Every structure is written in structure tokens, then in C-alpha cells.
Amino acid sequence: MGSLHPVPQVWTPLLLKFSSSSPSIWTLFTVNRPFLYKQRYPLLTTMAVYTQGRLPVSSPNGHKLAPKREKMELETDAISILHEKIRRDHGKREATRPAMDSQEADMYIQLVKEQQQRGLQKLKGDRECKEGGVFSYKVDPYTLRSGDYVVHKKVGVGRFVGIKFDVSRTSTEPIEYVFIEYADGMAKLPVKQATRMLYRYNLPNETKKPRTLSKLSDTSAWERRKTKGKVAIQKMVVDLMELYLHRLKQKRPPYPRSPAMAEFASQFPYEPTPDQKQAFIDVEKDLTDQETPMDRLICGDVGFGKTEVALRAIFCVVSAGKQAMVLAPTIVLAKQHFDVISDRFSKYPSIKVGLLSRFQGKAEKEEHLNMIKKGDLDIIVGTHSLLGNRVVYNNLGLLVVDEEQRFGVKQKEKIASFKTSVDVLTLSATPIPRTLYLALTGFRDASLISTPPPERVPIKTHLSAFGKEKVIAAIRYELDRGGQVFYVLPLIKGLEEVMDFLKQSFPDVDIAIAHGKQYSKQLEETMEKFAQGEIKILICTNIVESGLDIQNANTIIIQDVQQFGLAQLYQLRGRVGRADREAYAYLLYPDKSLLSDQALERLAALEECRELGQGFQLAERDMGIRGFGTIFGEQQTGDVGNVGIDLFFEMLFESLSKVEEHRVVSVPYQSVEFTENLRRQYGKEPYSMEILLKKLYVRRMAADLGISRIYASGKMVGMETSMSKRVFKLMTDSMISDVHRNSLIFDGDQIRAELLLELPREQLLNWIFQCLAELHASLPALIKY
């Protein structure tokens, strides 16, 4: 397969063993010594380290530079860039994270590890695991088609050619080989080996074609690509870890258990399924046994009873005098939740339920806002308007979020901000991939409801090209048995055309249009008439995607399916089949030649999931097909492209399972002090502001990196540190400069570098500054407790 190791560069600096007996050692920094320049430059020290402003830039003759030139120099100056980065990162951490000492962090990290193990055991399902409980996303070579792109873990990206028998050099017995084309030749490997090393190469966007194929003769480029992906993953995992630790630090008294809760539960008119019962138990324990705010995902197929879990949580919180907020992505769904909650709580006149929406007039909305602020409303239902600044809660205790993936980025951020202060219950039939992975890896609790109610019948799904006769036949069959029909399109502009077509075909049938741009009263009336059975065919956009429960509507026609996401299609299909009558979903596309490979794969996956209760598995499969920006943010998309989604996810699981190993313990800033050794040995250093500031920032970076002493001896630079070898490797892997990376070695409690030449003091300071700046850039990928 060719060399699997990068070819070394000829200019790599030599690394020599450090001799502690060298007579020319001089110390730059050490612990607990006064800073030499504090008396001489107290103002400069303070400004450089502690303030958020910038230093004035002066010319060599002492005059201030012109504003334009000053701005230009500040923007390009390495010190200014570093100062801004430290200030921004530090400010962000201080604003969003409480202080946590090392001992506390140990305890919380252990909690996370235990949670991870429980989550993996509970939710791994049929996913094949490899050693250590890390999920494997390796591909079965027999499922590949000629021309598919694959990733070999050691070599990189290639194109699958086929599988055929061949004779190895050491045997006369032919065996099956996988043949893969690379940029500089063909490779073959036994099928058994391929099953351990190959991944399908998927990308977040529509095209699956990689930028380039890897080379068999030089795998160093592939190693660099893999490292970029690994560092991106590590940064993301550490951020998740810190959010989780932050939540675990929050405390609230457990809610009291009361006989009224059992009485409320007894009013549920159905026999709960086993999964539902477990979800009831999980949520009740979260609320009544724990002091940490709940953050639980209830993942259940449409109509499997997620709402009842939420209702019982609401009752528990409201009975204790707290408010509950129910957040839905559309007003149609919010109205349905409001109706269900009002009906269920009608026996409790002291509990007030309110709906806040854009359908309300100004006076009515103001009245509701006032009632929420005073605490006169106990349960508040609505759309994203509930997250606005004008909504002030009196004593909010619980947030229920339905279909979180339907909300925008800013709304998701606002939802996340609630999670550190109130209990949060998220309901979803197809969670966004990020949510699913948090559930799978223990950064979030999850309850899976996969058992259908006994009366439910699977939905018959048909995927085919659009045809008017086919549509007319499907609608006529449903109307003849007394049912109703959803007719869904991706865009508003096509609704009227479909209306004209259906009016000609069914002149005596009541047909209506519904979409989010209609006047609120008109939309509300249309949905009400459809729910009551007056309207037989509803032509609509995906405004009906979530939650609508119309028992008599058991046929859904979805036109131009290639324009919908997999989660959307799954939710739309779930609008039918809510009763004991067989339901039908027709997924229609204009012409197969117009569909992308991703769209075809997405639809094939949906058609395979005909059984009930597969929303959870479907969402997991969806991760390999859908846009990636919703998972980790757009900035990670390029890093995924480096290795493909499947290998990226396997690396993600591995990183999550070893999260505690990527930890750096910083040194208190005041403990990393300059000493007089430099001045004593080499005389007075230049009074240049740049030199002074670089010393200040070297001190600051060293503290953040857990480096307590930096010293030089001839061509040798040594740094005493508390970091682990694994952390050192992650830092050096992410360094941009090969010169710095290749000159550093880790030895016990020291980082050492042997330079090619013994540098003058100013050049040495510059080298140390640049080296530490590159190491410091990797800090976002490390736990800093």
C-alpha cells in the first residue's frame, strides 16, 4: 500500500539531548520571582495584560503614528493579534463559565464518563461496536459500487474499482481483494483487511467528489488532512464538555413528589407502552431526585406518546409553583399543544394556560405579557416569540421544546442559554444530528420511545415519478373511504397551480390552501376547518410538518420530494397513520435524472424505514447524508471534507470517549514571573516596546499552557510544564509551522528544543514568542481546569 509515514524534511533541526550540567544556562522565566520591569513600567504592564484597550503605537522618534498607519500596523502586528485573541477568549470564558478548580473538574469529568457509558449501553442499538465501546462507521466493501469514493484510514481518499479474486505472493490459493484507485496508482487489499480500514467518503454538500485523491507513495498530505479533522473535533468536544460541566454546577431543589401527580397520570386514557413507562420514570427522577437541572431528549416516533411525557413534567413543575414554557416551531403546532394542554388541565382551575402568538391583537398580547410577568399564567405556549426580550417570566421552572431542529441558529442559542438555569425537556421524532450524538455519548440524557401503540398500522410508502393519473387515483381512493388528504409542496408559488388541477379533477370537493405567509386568521380558520373534516384536501407547504394530529387524514402526497430534507419527509409522512386505518404516503419526483445522488440516497433510506418507530435510526442515517452546518457550525464543514463524514464521526466518538485525557492545567498568572538572570548575564535589554510586550505575552502564554519556567542553554531551550504527552502531541500536531513543530520534543516534565544556532537574545525571544503563540492557538481544543 506504500509508505504510511510522512517523509521527513531535510531542513528539520537536529534534536540533541539536554545536559543539565551545561555552564551557559540562563533563565528567562521561573516561579515566584518579582517582575523586573514592574517598577519602571507599571502603566505599560497593566495596559498590556489587564485592560481591553490597545496600546498607542509610536514611531522610533517617539511621535505618535498617523491614525491610518496606526490602525494598519495594529491589524498586522503579531502582538496585537495575540492580545485581541487572548482578551476575546478570556472574556468569553469568564462571561459564560463559572470558575472551577481542578478537584471539581475531576469529579464532574468522572460523572460525564459514567454518563457516557450508560448512554452507549442504552442507545447503541444495532450499531456494530469495536473495542472500547467506540462506534464503528467502517463500510462493508460488498455494499460499494464501482466509482464510489472511499477512505483508507492509513492511506487516504481513493476510488473503489471493484472486488475480484487474485493470488497473493505467499499463496497459490486465490482470495478476494478490494481494488482501489489512488492518484498515483492502483492498490489492492484483502477484503478482510478492507472491512477494518475502509470508510465511505461522504461530504456535507450535494457532491461526493473529493478535491483530490491521495497518493500511495506519499501519505504525509493525508496525515495532515487527518490531523486537521482531529483538532477540529477536539475543539468541538471540549466546548461540549465545558457546557456540560457548567450545567452540572447549577443547582435547584428537587421537586416534591405528591399524590396529585399519580392522580394526574391516572387520567391518561391509554395504556402506556413499556418505552413510555420508562420515559415517565426517567423524567420523574430527573425532576424529583436530582439537584441538577434536567436536560432530557425524548425521542419518539409521531403519535407514540411524547406529549404525555411532557404533560406529566409540566404538572410536576407547575404544582410546585413554577411556570412552564412550551415552545413549538409553528403557530399551527403551538395551537394544537395549547388545545391539548387546556383540555388536560381543565380539571385544575387554579392552573392557568395561555397562548402567545402573532395571531393575537396588540391588546391581547400585552395582557398576556403582563400576566406572564406577574405569574398569573402558569403554562405559556407559543412559538419563538416566547424567547423574545419582551417576555419576562415570573418564576420559570421548565422549558419544553418541540422539534428543536425547526428553530433558527439564534433561537437555538437562546434555548441553550435556558439549559443552565431551568429544566429542559426536548421532544423530537427525528432529532438533529448534534442532539442525537449528545444523547448517544452521554453529554445529554435521552429516553427512546420506539414501541408503537397497539392500534397503529405501518404507513405504506410509495416513491415514484409524478403522474397526474397516479395522483387522482390516490386521492379518489382516500375520499371514497371517507378520509382526507394532505397535498404538500416545497414552495408557495406552486400551490395555486395544484389547486387549479385538483379543482378540475374534483369539482365537488372542498379544497383549501395553507402556508405561513397567509393572514393569521385565515390560516387559523383553514386549519380548524380541516381538523373538523369540512375541508377534504389541504394543499400546503411544510407548515404542517410537525405535530398536527388529524385522525381522519390518512393519505399524504408530497410533490418535488428532492427539495425536502430527510427529517422533513419523515415528519411529513408522520402526519398520516395516526388512527387504526391503513395510511399511504406518495413521494413524487419530476424526473429521476434531475435528482442528485444525495437526494436518491435520502429517499431510498426513507422508503426502507417502513416499520414504525424508526425515526431514531433514520436520524442517525440522515447524519451521513444531510447538510453538516446544522451539526457543528459551518466552520467545521471544511474539516469534515478533509476525511469524509464517516471517519469524522468515528474520530468524534473516540475523542468523546477520551475527553478527559486532553486537559491542560494552567499555572496561576502571577506565578510565572521574569527573573533578573537575563539582565545579570547579558546586560540591559533594549527598551523597545515590542521587546517588552513580547516578554509580557510570553509570560501570559506560558501561564495558560501550564509552563512554569523557560530557560536557555546555548542552542537549547527548555520549558518546565505540567502538561501530558498526549496534550503535547495534540498541540504540536495543530501547529502551522513545521520549523517549530519539528524542533520540539517532550521529555518527562519538560518541552525541549534544540536550535540550529545559538540565537542573540532578541531573536531568541522572537522564536520563543512565535513558538508559544502556535502552541497557545490549540488551547480551544483542551479542557482548561
Side-chain angles (χ1 to χ4, degrees):
M1 294 293 293
S3 172
L4 300 182
H5 303 286
V7 178
Q9 306 293 331
V10 295
W11 42 257
T12 301
L14 295 173
L15 299 174
L16 304 178
K17 287 197 176 289
F18 167 66
S19 171
S20 60
S21 60
S22 173
S24 60
I25 293 179
W26 51 279
T27 304
L28 300 179
F29 315 96
T30 188
V31 180
N32 296 328
R33 299 282 184 91
F35 172 39
L36 178 62
Y37 297 104
K38 224 166 195 175
Q39 300 303 318
R40 188 183 293 261
Y41 300 113
L43 180 62
L44 295 178
T45 305
T46 305
M47 288 178 70
V49 180
Y50 299 109
T51 74
Q52 296 187 5
R54 292 189 184 276
L55 293 172
V57 177
S58 298
S59 64
N61 60 11
H63 297 297
K64 282 193 177 181
L65 297 172
K68 187 173 181 180
R69 186 177 164 196
E70 176 181 339
K71 183 181 179 184
M72 187 171 67
E73 291 208 8
L74 283 173
E75 285 175 351
T76 57
D77 178 58
I79 293 175
S80 298
I81 293 168
L82 179 66
H83 173 76
E84 183 60 24
K85 177 185 175 298
I86 292 174
R87 186 188 67 77
R88 187 175 59 246
D89 292 350
H90 187 72
K92 184 179 176 183
R93 286 177 55 79
E94 289 297 306
T96 58
R97 312 277 193 274
M100 182 178 292
D101 62 34
S102 187
Q103 194 172 1
E104 275 185 305
D106 282 336
M107 181 176 68
Y108 289 128
I109 287 170
Q110 186 56 38
L111 276 174
V112 171
K113 292 291 290 181
E114 291 171 5
Q115 179 94 336
Q116 280 183 327
Q117 291 306 311
R118 287 199 300 270
L120 289 168
Q121 286 298 316
K122 186 176 181 181
L123 296 173
K124 66 185 179 183
D126 298 329
R127 169 69 74 184
E128 185 182 342
C129 276
K130 67 178 185 182
E131 289 181 20
V134 178
F135 284 122
S136 171
Y137 277 84
K138 296 177 182 67
V139 67
D140 178 353
Y142 294 106
T143 65
L144 293 169
R145 292 176 294 187
S146 181
D148 284 353
Y149 290 98
V150 293
V151 178
H152 186 289
K153 203 169 186 178
K154 300 287 187 186
V155 180
V157 180
R159 188 184 290 109
F160 175 75
V161 176
I163 299 175
K164 67 177 183 178
F165 281 93
D166 202 357
V167 179
S168 69
R169 294 175 184 174
T170 58
S171 171
T172 57
E173 193 72 28
I175 61 170
E176 279 190 301
Y177 283 91
V178 174
F179 286 81
I180 303 170
E181 178 190 355
Y182 288 94
D184 56 350
M186 187 75 70
K188 68 174 186 179
L189 67 160
V191 169
K192 281 188 178 180
Q193 186 183 340
T195 58
R196 298 194 303 270
M197 301 300 289
L198 285 187
Y199 303 80
R200 192 182 291 276
Y201 185 84
N202 289 320
L203 284 180
N205 45 28
E206 289 288 322
T207 174
K208 293 184 180 181
K209 190 174 181 179
R211 293 190 296 270
T212 58
L213 296 183
S214 301
K215 289 185 177 180
L216 288 166
S217 57
D218 180 10
T219 57
S220 59
W222 167 245
E223 289 297 331
R224 286 195 297 272
R225 286 172 68 174
K226 207 162 60 168
T227 295
K228 283 187 73 176
K230 182 179 179 182
V231 172
I233 287 169
Q234 192 59 37
K235 286 178 181 176
M236 183 198 69
V237 167
V238 166
D239 193 44
L240 294 178
M241 182 78 169
E242 291 189 340
L243 284 170
Y244 190 76
L245 298 184
H246 182 39
R247 188 176 72 82
L248 287 174
K249 276 186 74 77
Q250 309 307 308
K251 300 293 179 188
R252 56 111 174 98
Y255 288 96
R257 293 177 186 265
S258 69
M261 288 171 62
E263 182 189 338
F264 182 83
S266 68
Q267 296 165 17
F268 185 51
Y270 307 102
E271 177 62 29
T273 62
D275 290 346
Q276 231 184 339
K277 287 179 182 176
Q278 187 58 53
F280 294 152
I281 293 168
D282 292 341
V283 172
E284 188 173 326
K285 282 184 177 179
D286 287 346
L287 293 172
T288 61
D289 290 356
Q290 297 180 10
E291 292 185 338
T292 303
M294 171 178 69
D295 180 16
R296 181 169 290 276
L297 167 68
I298 305 295
C299 183
D301 220 323
V302 285
F304 279 27
K306 299 186 297 293
T307 305
E308 179 62 22
V309 178
L311 289 171
R312 296 188 187 190
I314 291 168
F315 184 84
C316 176
V317 169
V318 171
S319 298
K322 297 265 192 177
Q323 290 173 306
M325 183 201 329
V326 180
L327 194 59
T330 65
I331 189 57
V332 173
L333 184 54
K335 178 68 165 59
Q336 191 166 54
H337 278 309
F338 173 73
D339 292 341
V340 169
I341 293 169
S342 298
D343 180 62
R344 191 68 195 281
F345 282 85
S346 59
K347 296 181 180 179
Y348 302 89
S350 62
I351 296 176
K352 305 296 182 186
V353 186
L355 174 67
L356 192 68
S357 82
R358 60 185 173 90
F359 285 3
Q360 294 165 325
K362 188 175 180 181
E364 188 182 1
K365 185 173 284 188
E366 288 297 328
E367 183 186 359
H368 273 75
L369 289 171
N370 196 38
M371 290 175 72
I372 294 169
K373 189 174 182 178
K374 288 183 176 180
D376 294 339
L377 279 182
D378 303 288
I379 305 169
I380 305 99
V381 186
T383 58
H384 57 84
S385 58
L386 292 181
L387 302 172
N389 294 329
R390 295 197 63 210
V391 186
V392 181
Y393 297 91
N394 180 274
N395 192 14
L396 186 64
L398 174 67
L399 168 62
V400 178
V401 184
D402 197 4
E403 301 300 339
E404 185 179 357
Q405 76 272 18
R406 298 283 307 278
F407 291 94
V409 174
K410 288 186 178 179
Q411 292 150 3
K412 286 177 185 172
E413 286 174 358
K414 191 69 186 282
I415 291 168
S417 71
F418 278 103
K419 293 184 179 182
T420 57
S421 56
V422 302
D423 292 272
V424 178
L425 191 63
T426 304
L427 313 178
S428 188
T430 46
I432 55 173
R434 178 188 174 101
T435 309
L436 178 58
Y437 266 93
L438 290 175
L440 285 173
T441 51
F443 282 90
R444 187 171 183 188
D445 299 319
S447 300
L448 176 59
I449 305 178
S450 59
T451 315
E455 69 276 5
R456 290 291 295 274
V457 179
I459 302 165
K460 286 197 169 180
T461 305
H462 302 276
L463 173 63
S464 64
F466 176 84
K468 288 188 175 181
E469 300 78 11
K470 196 179 297 180
V471 169
I472 292 169
I475 294 175
R476 181 165 286 126
Y477 176 81
E478 184 61 50
L479 296 178
D480 286 349
R481 63 176 185 169
Q484 295 165 269
V485 177
F486 288 103
Y487 196 118
V488 184
L489 286 93
L491 301 172
I492 294 174
K493 66 179 182 182
L495 300 179
E496 290 291 345
E497 187 180 337
V498 172
M499 171 68 105
D500 293 341
F501 155 57
L502 292 182
K503 276 290 185 186
Q504 290 176 9
S505 305
F506 302 96
D508 300 324
V509 175
D510 286 326
I511 307 173
I513 286 176
H515 58 79
K517 299 292 184 184
Q518 287 176 322
Y519 289 114
S520 53
K521 290 292 183 186
Q522 181 187 358
L523 178 60
E524 190 173 11
E525 286 173 9
T526 300
M527 298 311 299
E528 189 67 30
K529 286 181 179 179
F530 188 65
Q532 297 299 324
E534 295 176 31
I535 293 170
K536 300 300 181 184
I537 305 173
L538 185 67
I539 306 168
C540 55
T541 58
N542 65 346
I543 191 171
V544 298
E545 179 183 319
S546 299
L548 276 182
D549 193 357
I550 312 291
Q551 297 280 317
N552 197 44
N554 284 293
T555 290
I556 185 166
I557 296 166
I558 306 172
Q559 189 173 314
D560 290 332
V561 285
Q562 74 279 5
Q563 296 190 40
F564 291 94
L566 187 55
Q568 285 181 312
L569 289 172
Y570 191 79
Q571 294 289 69
L572 285 168
R573 192 183 67 161
R575 294 311 99 220
V576 297
R578 309 300 292 264
D580 55 359
R581 185 182 296 183
E582 191 165 53
Y584 298 88
Y586 297 89
L587 313 182
L588 308 176
Y589 50 84
D591 186 327
K592 262 198 174 177
S593 64
L594 300 176
L595 295 184
S596 65
D597 288 345
Q598 187 188 24
L600 286 170
E601 189 175 341
R602 183 190 295 144
L603 296 171
L606 187 76
E607 196 167 41
E608 284 173 21
C609 292
R610 297 182 186 201
E611 296 303 312
L612 295 167
Q614 294 187 337
F616 193 78
Q617 291 88 340
L618 187 71
E620 185 171 17
R621 176 155 182 187
D622 191 12
M623 299 184 65
I625 312 171
R626 261 168 74 198
F628 209 74
T630 55
I631 311 177
F632 306 117
E634 293 298 333
Q635 67 275 14
Q636 266 90 20
T637 303
D639 299 309
V640 177
N642 282 322
V643 296
I645 289 176
D646 287 0
L647 179 55
F648 191 89
F649 278 130
E650 186 163 300
M651 291 162 70
L652 171 62
F653 270 119
E654 190 172 358
S655 183
L656 285 167
S657 65
K658 297 176 181 176
V659 68
E660 80 286 356
E661 296 177 15
H662 292 105
R663 186 174 170 192
V664 61
V665 180
S666 62
V667 176
Y669 181 53
Q670 292 77 13
S671 300
V672 185
E673 302 285 7
F674 286 88
T675 70
E676 296 180 10
N677 292 25
L678 175 62
R679 203 175 199 192
R680 190 182 303 123
Q681 191 163 357
Y682 289 95
K684 202 171 184 180
E685 66 284 338
Y687 287 106
S688 134
M689 178 61 71
E690 181 182 356
I691 296 297
L692 175 59
L693 287 178
K694 280 189 175 175
K695 289 176 181 177
L696 287 168
Y697 282 112
V698 163
R699 183 174 73 160
R700 171 60 191 261
M701 290 187 289
D704 289 346
L705 292 165
I707 294 169
S708 55
R709 182 174 175 241
I710 301 175
Y711 57 92
S713 174
K715 292 185 290 184
M716 170 65 68
V717 177
M719 309 179 199
E720 293 180 2
T721 179
S722 60
M723 73 176 64
S724 68
K725 190 169 185 177
R726 184 181 287 272
V727 167
F728 171 77
K729 186 175 187 314
L730 182 81
M731 284 185 169
T732 50
D733 281 350
S734 62
M735 292 175 82
I736 297 169
S737 166
D738 289 337
V739 174
H740 288 121
R741 179 172 56 249
N742 293 333
S743 66
L744 297 177
I745 58 171
F746 187 82
D747 185 15
D749 62 350
Q750 294 190 29
I751 298 170
R752 296 190 284 111
E754 177 72 19
L755 308 179
L756 287 172
L757 301 168
E758 184 172 348
L759 298 176
R761 57 184 181 271
E762 289 178 35
Q763 289 182 31
L764 179 61
L765 181 62
N766 280 334
W767 189 93
I768 293 171
F769 177 87
Q770 291 163 5
C771 184
L772 289 184
E774 287 214 31
L775 291 171
H776 198 269
S778 66
L779 275 180
L782 297 162
I783 301 170
K784 294 160 280 290
Y785 301 121

